[in-house]
Amino acid sequence: MLIPRLQKWLTTPVKTATDPRVIFWFSLSLAIATTYALAALREAFSSPYVVQDDARQYVFWMRRFFDPSLFPNDRIADYFQSVSPVGYVTLYRLAAVVGIDPLVFNKLLPLGLSLVTVGCFFGLTMTLLPVPFAGFAASVLLAQTMWMKDDVISASPRSFVYPFFVAFLYVLARHGAHGEGQAPGHSVGRSLLPGLVILALLGLFYPQYVLVAAAMLLLSLVQWRGGRLRLSQRAWDYWFCASHLAVILAVLLYYALATSEFDPVVTAAQARTMPEFWPGGRSFFFNENPWWFYLVGDRSGIFHVGLLRPATLCLGLALPVMLRSPRRFPLAQSVTPQIGLLLRLLVASLGMWGLAHLLLFRLHLPSRYLDHSWRFIMAIAAAIVLTLALDALWRWSPLGGKGRSLLAWGMAGLIAALLLVYPVFAKDFPLTKYKQGHAPQMYAFLAEQPADIRVASVVDEVNNIPTFSRRSILIGREYAIPYHVGYYEEFRERAIALIRAQYTTDLAELQQFIRTYDIDYWVLARNAYTPGYVADIWINQYLPEVIETVAPVEQGAIAALASLPRRCSVLQEAGLTLIDAQCVLDQRPRGREDLAGGAGGSDRLSS
């Protein structure tokens, strides 16, 4: 009795969505996805000074919803506000209206995003193979791969490609499944209206992926029949495609007609001359090795390290072979024609990847059009492979009685190991990229200062100041995004000027920098003047332009900032010194013997 029961619950197709097996496996899918999300939530609220890495870019400025006076004349805040999609901003604004802090909302959103994604993915898989266990396996695999990458957890614009695009795929699959031989009116409620709404939301939150959707809609008009590619003969398919393309066109026109003070987008020719885009740069993109560049480059390639995580996704590579072997895998006959959706998704994504390379960087990064698609494809393919293999093993097994029961329990154990136990042994699961602030006293002090202060520093800790202190900074690694010339040219000038000011031995030059950029406080690392410091941190991409200023200090000369009296230090914490810029302006030039370590040397910051 065990074998028939397991076979029914694991590999037997269902005919209705109300079948108890559907409810059971769907509920279990949501329960597991919730478990992963709750583990991330526990880390998110483990300290008041925890923030997701990307939230430091996309969310910090949203504190303006509560206090419009924050970040006045702040080019960094203005830039990230300008590049945030309108739907994304509106959602956070609505949360603020009901009193939810943007950073708190950022930590709560991944739970909802993951559950919606898993629910839609379960339905999508069931449309391709009406076996509830396959839907469960696909949902669990997708949940695992989502939590092995920092897309959904960031609650940034790209996080929304998961629920919205998976929902679009589900609508597209249902349209094909229900449209065959039926009047157009039958599909209106099922696919047309939901599809239009979902595409509009996708465009408002993550506009790049509506281009993949457009390519898929066009490909859906091409069908494989009688061993040949043929155009669809159903007028309703063309109406469906045209209406959705109209929504996509409206979305694209909205963004195309929008202007920004931070335009234009950097060209490929310009980017190739910038160290920021080469190995060691903040936005590493190019590589001299074309194989690396086009195949495994993180931002440029078709594949990259970590794509097939969890490793269970590799099972999906066997799907084409199994579908062509119905005698060995009889359940393959239950796979619906909608399985072609996976191929269309792959072709559409590859096409957009190629177009993004041709129009570099006007469509942003090429790999963004493939990364998510690969995960959708491989999760479904691996789940179907696992289901077909289980069904074939039961049918094939020559064992009888007790032997078959042992085999059944063994396979059940293998399923549990592959789908449920695997994450226990995965490193950094769930991967959250939450950042812990290490200078709470400094954050608290700066938060008490006027809203228009500005902090200068090259240390990584300064990236947390806009988030935890709600105060402006001059530059920071997290904000050194070089894709818009109107933003980055000024940012780069500031960075170079700041490095020169930190390493100059001329007090007057240091004071002039403070006046020019209206600096109120300076954060200085304890080891800022040790040899090799600049080369070891993110500002090394600017080193060729500042080497003449940095080199003398690394060879023994004393920087003007290091020769300040200790009274200029506001506080010291976590190897950092917070310096009052007004105190720097109040200093008088010292004699040569003082700068070399003479009178008053023991009272210097560098002592």
Side-chain angles (χ1 to χ4, degrees):
M1 292 297 292
L2 176 62
I3 297 296
R5 287 180 180 178
L6 280 177
Q7 197 166 9
K8 178 181 179 181
W9 277 87
L10 291 176
T11 62
T12 302
V14 298
K15 295 181 179 180
T16 66
T18 57
D19 190 296
R21 288 172 290 165
V22 176
I23 298 172
F24 172 79
W25 289 113
F26 179 73
S27 300
L28 189 58
S29 300
L30 294 180
I32 292 176
T34 301
T35 301
Y36 298 157
L38 290 179
L41 270 176
R42 182 173 60 183
E43 183 179 352
F45 290 99
S46 61
S47 164
Y49 296 109
V50 169
V51 61
Q52 209 283 328
D53 190 20
D54 287 344
R56 295 186 293 179
Q57 296 176 3
Y58 286 100
V59 180
F60 80 94
W61 63 267
M62 293 184 183
R63 288 278 177 70
R64 286 171 165 175
F65 296 157
F66 292 99
D67 184 357
S69 68
L70 293 178
F71 308 110
N73 302 313
D74 189 325
R75 295 286 286 178
I76 293 176
D78 292 344
Y79 173 71
F80 282 98
Q81 182 172 353
S82 74
V83 298
S84 297
V86 61
Y88 180 75
V89 175
T90 301
L91 180 64
Y92 274 83
R93 189 184 295 275
L94 290 174
V97 167
V98 297
I100 303 177
D101 183 274
L103 288 173
V104 173
F105 191 55
N106 177 265
K107 295 176 181 180
L108 296 175
L109 261 179
L111 172 60
L113 293 175
S114 62
L115 291 181
V116 172
T117 301
V118 165
C120 292
F121 207 65
F122 183 94
L124 172 61
T125 307
M126 285 282 291
T127 306
L128 308 184
L129 176 62
V131 176
F133 172 75
F136 164 77
S139 299
V140 170
L141 289 173
L142 182 66
Q144 290 175 357
T145 194
M146 283 194 302
W147 289 104
M148 290 181 176
K149 197 170 178 357
D150 65 329
D151 288 330
V152 171
I153 187 62
S154 69
S156 62
R158 74 176 186 272
S159 307
F160 291 83
V161 73
Y162 284 87
F164 291 143
F165 195 75
V166 169
F168 168 73
L169 292 177
Y170 180 50
V171 167
L172 205 57
R174 294 285 292 179
H175 166 72
H178 287 276
E180 197 70 38
Q182 295 173 350
H186 181 84
S187 295
V188 170
R190 291 181 178 272
S191 56
L192 182 58
L193 297 179
L196 297 176
V197 172
I198 290 167
L199 271 185
L201 289 172
L202 178 63
L204 292 175
F205 280 82
Y206 196 73
Q208 294 99 316
Y209 242 71
V210 297
L211 296 172
V212 178
M216 289 196 68
L217 286 165
L218 294 173
L219 289 172
S220 69
L221 299 177
V222 181
Q223 301 171 356
W224 181 263
R225 290 184 178 179
R228 295 176 58 186
L229 290 175
R230 301 175 185 271
L231 289 175
S232 172
Q233 300 300 307
R234 295 186 301 165
W236 174 239
D237 286 340
Y238 292 91
W239 281 108
F240 181 89
C241 180
S243 61
H244 285 74
L245 288 176
V247 172
I248 291 174
L249 180 61
V251 168
L252 295 179
L253 283 175
Y254 171 80
Y255 286 105
L257 296 176
T259 59
S260 171
E261 61 178 309
F262 301 105
D263 285 338
V265 174
V266 66
T267 66
Q270 289 172 321
R272 287 190 179 94
T273 67
M274 299 168 63
E276 289 87 340
F277 288 94
W278 290 90
R282 170 65 177 86
S283 298
F284 171 32
F285 182 82
F286 296 108
N287 193 287
E288 296 288 357
N289 184 337
W291 290 103
W292 186 97
F293 180 67
Y294 287 108
L295 289 182
V296 298
D298 188 38
R299 295 180 170 95
S300 60
I302 295 177
F303 313 102
H304 63 82
V305 177
L307 181 63
L308 292 177
R309 293 188 65 200
T312 325
L313 295 179
C314 293
L315 292 171
L317 298 174
L319 182 60
V321 176
M322 287 187 167
L323 293 180
R324 293 175 182 174
S325 307
R327 289 187 177 181
R328 294 184 178 180
F329 303 98
L331 189 59
Q333 298 178 56
S334 296
V335 175
T336 70
Q338 300 312 308
I339 194 68
L341 189 78
L342 300 184
L343 179 59
R344 290 198 295 272
L345 174 56
L346 178 58
V347 172
S349 300
L350 282 171
M352 287 310 308
W353 171 86
L355 188 61
H357 269 290
L358 290 175
L359 301 177
L360 206 66
F361 291 90
R362 281 172 280 180
L363 297 179
H364 202 39
L365 301 174
S367 65
R368 291 287 176 88
Y369 296 94
L370 268 169
D371 278 4
H372 313 300
S373 298
W374 274 125
R375 289 179 172 83
F376 301 148
I377 292 168
M378 296 307 295
I380 291 177
I384 294 177
V385 164
L386 184 57
T387 307
L388 297 184
L390 282 173
D391 179 75
L393 282 172
W394 275 321
R395 295 173 187 267
W396 169 83
S397 176
L399 301 176
K402 188 175 181 179
R404 285 174 62 84
S405 296
L406 290 174
L407 177 63
W409 282 113
M411 287 188 290
L414 178 61
I415 294 169
L418 287 175
L419 295 180
L420 304 178
V421 182
Y422 179 90
V424 175
F425 301 99
K427 184 180 180 181
D428 297 326
F429 185 86
L431 178 66
T432 62
K433 288 194 176 180
Y434 279 123
K435 302 299 180 180
Q436 173 74 51
H438 299 291
Q441 295 179 46
M442 181 174 67
Y443 306 145
F445 173 83
L446 292 174
E448 294 174 354
Q449 308 309 307
D452 61 349
I453 67 166
R454 180 175 293 167
V455 181
S457 182
V458 299
V459 301
D460 282 342
E461 199 64 40
V462 77
N463 295 304
N464 295 326
I465 289 175
T467 298
F468 297 138
S469 300
R470 307 177 191 180
R471 296 297 180 262
S472 299
I473 62 174
L474 185 68
I475 65 166
R477 181 188 182 280
E478 283 302 305
Y479 312 100
I481 307 299
Y483 298 112
H484 287 86
V485 176
Y487 166 74
Y488 192 68
E489 277 190 348
E490 181 178 342
F491 185 98
R492 195 171 193 276
E493 290 174 1
R494 290 181 172 193
I496 292 172
L498 172 56
I499 299 168
R500 285 176 174 160
Q502 180 163 310
Y503 285 86
T504 184
T505 57
D506 184 350
L507 178 61
E509 182 179 349
L510 172 62
Q511 291 172 331
Q512 183 57 47
F513 169 82
I514 291 174
R515 293 189 188 98
T516 300
Y517 290 100
D518 196 20
I519 304 301
D520 297 281
Y521 293 94
W522 200 302
V523 181
L524 188 67
R526 181 183 300 161
N527 60 339
Y529 298 109
T530 57
Y533 175 80
V534 174
D536 289 340
I537 62 176
W538 72 278
I539 58 173
N540 60 8
Q541 59 192 12
Y542 309 114
L543 189 55
E545 299 192 45
V546 298
I547 188 65
E548 77 284 352
T549 303
V550 173
V553 174
E554 291 192 335
Q555 293 169 5
I558 299 176
L561 192 61
S563 65
L564 297 172
R566 289 188 181 276
R567 66 175 179 273
C568 289
S569 171
V570 176
L571 61 83
Q572 294 184 344
E573 183 181 17
L576 304 173
T577 299
L578 183 65
I579 300 170
D580 185 346
Q582 184 58 50
C583 182
V584 180
L585 295 177
D586 293 340
Q587 299 305 302
R588 301 290 184 185
R590 296 187 178 191
R592 181 172 300 176
E593 67 280 1
D594 293 332
L595 292 177
S602 61
D603 190 42
R604 294 199 309 262
L605 287 176
S606 60
S607 300

